[in-house]
Amino acid sequence: MSRLYIVPTPVGNLEDMTLRGLRILREADLILAEDTRTTSVLLRHYDIHTPLRAHHRNNEHKAVAGLVEEISGGKEVALVSDAGTPGISDPGFMLVRACRQAGIDVECLPGATAFVPALVASGLPCDRFVFEGFLPLKKGRATRLKELAADPRTVIIYESPMRLPRTLRQLAEAFGPDRPAAVAREISKIHEENRQDTLGKLAEHYEANNPKGEIVVIISGDDGKKRPAEDSENSGISET
């Protein structure tokens, strides 16, 4: 029976792979991987020998039509990313949409997503939250920060270690340096870190200590008591 399976993979510890996920990867006709080198480590660990093919941002536009044809022809295909659930700040959306439009069954397994454990472990409210993924790098960045600063929900963003100190400083300027926040790093790995403090203190810490690994930033929502200046020119955050 032709079908596309979306299979979450561990964000760190390989033991976080689900039994069902392992079965699907073994039984599939083809595994689509964001980086075949990364996925090969997982497959070797669990002695899985299913054929592997690269499917990433640089080739997904060209590959989607052919993959839909293969799946329609009877193949069962599993899509994985380097870590976590495909489609969440990773390739996957385009293929899922094309399969749905072609009437192909799409089944997404529940599993690892970095922001969920980061949010729950942060100690910040997790009943209502907004997931932003990666912020705009240039155009629209200051405007988006201004909008998020006024949001009463907990805010979640992803960031690279290289950009983290600068982003935390900009968040402190837009949200206010005393806004409670948390930084989760290397989730479920040996050097996992969950640091809670104000945005200002977190910015100081990571300016003095170069971070490494995958990073999730959690910021408390606006409580309505105090808000920083709304003029982006005064905030020091450039739109370009």
Side-chain angles (χ1 to χ4, degrees), residues 6-11 79-92 108-114 158:
I6 311 299
V7 182
T9 54
V11 297
L79 174 68
V80 301
S81 62
D82 288 349
T85 302
I88 305 297
S89 295
D90 284 317
C108 183
L109 280 62
T113 301
Y158 285 164

Side-chain angles (χ1 to χ4, degrees), residues 80-204:
V80 301
S81 62
D82 288 349
T85 302
I88 305 297
S89 295
D90 284 317
F93 164 71
M94 291 184 60
L95 181 58
V96 170
R97 179 178 61 183
C99 285
R100 288 293 189 191
Q101 292 172 344
I104 295 171
D105 287 337
V106 177
E107 189 169 338
C108 183
L109 280 62
T113 301
F115 76 79
V116 174
L119 171 63
V120 174
S122 71
L124 297 174
C126 51
D127 54 335
R128 297 176 66 238
F129 59 88
V130 54
F131 172 67
E132 283 292 306
F134 288 93
L135 292 169
L137 291 179
K138 293 184 179 180
K139 186 176 181 180
R141 186 178 179 90
T143 300
R144 191 69 193 122
L145 287 174
K146 175 182 173 182
E147 294 168 349
L148 291 172
D151 198 312
R153 298 170 294 180
T154 301
V155 177
I156 306 169
I157 67 171
Y158 285 164
E159 191 51 282
S160 72
M162 184 183 302
R163 294 193 299 262
L164 180 64
R166 177 173 178 266
T167 294
L168 287 172
R169 184 57 63 190
Q170 290 180 338
L171 288 167
E173 292 168 354
F175 289 63
D178 295 328
R179 182 78 69 96
V183 172
R185 192 175 61 79
E186 295 286 76
I187 294 170
S188 83
K189 297 181 181 179
I190 295 175
H191 301 292
E192 178 174 355
E193 177 186 47
N194 291 281
R195 181 173 293 273
Q196 296 81 37
D197 213 318
T198 63
L199 282 171
K201 292 291 182 61
L202 288 170
E204 291 176 3

Side-chain angles (χ1 to χ4, degrees), residues 62-76:
K62 296 180 180 179
V64 164
L67 287 168
V68 168
E69 185 175 344
E70 286 187 66
I71 300 170
S72 297
K75 282 190 175 182
E76 290 197 340

Side-chain angles (χ1 to χ4, degrees), residues 14 17 22-23 25-27 31 39-51:
L14 293 181
M17 191 70 197
L22 291 173
R23 177 179 61 80
L25 293 181
R26 287 194 178 97
E27 296 177 353
I31 297 173
T39 301
S40 291
V41 174
L42 175 69
L43 299 186
R44 284 196 300 270
H45 183 80
Y46 286 107
D47 196 28
I48 296 173
H49 305 282
T50 306

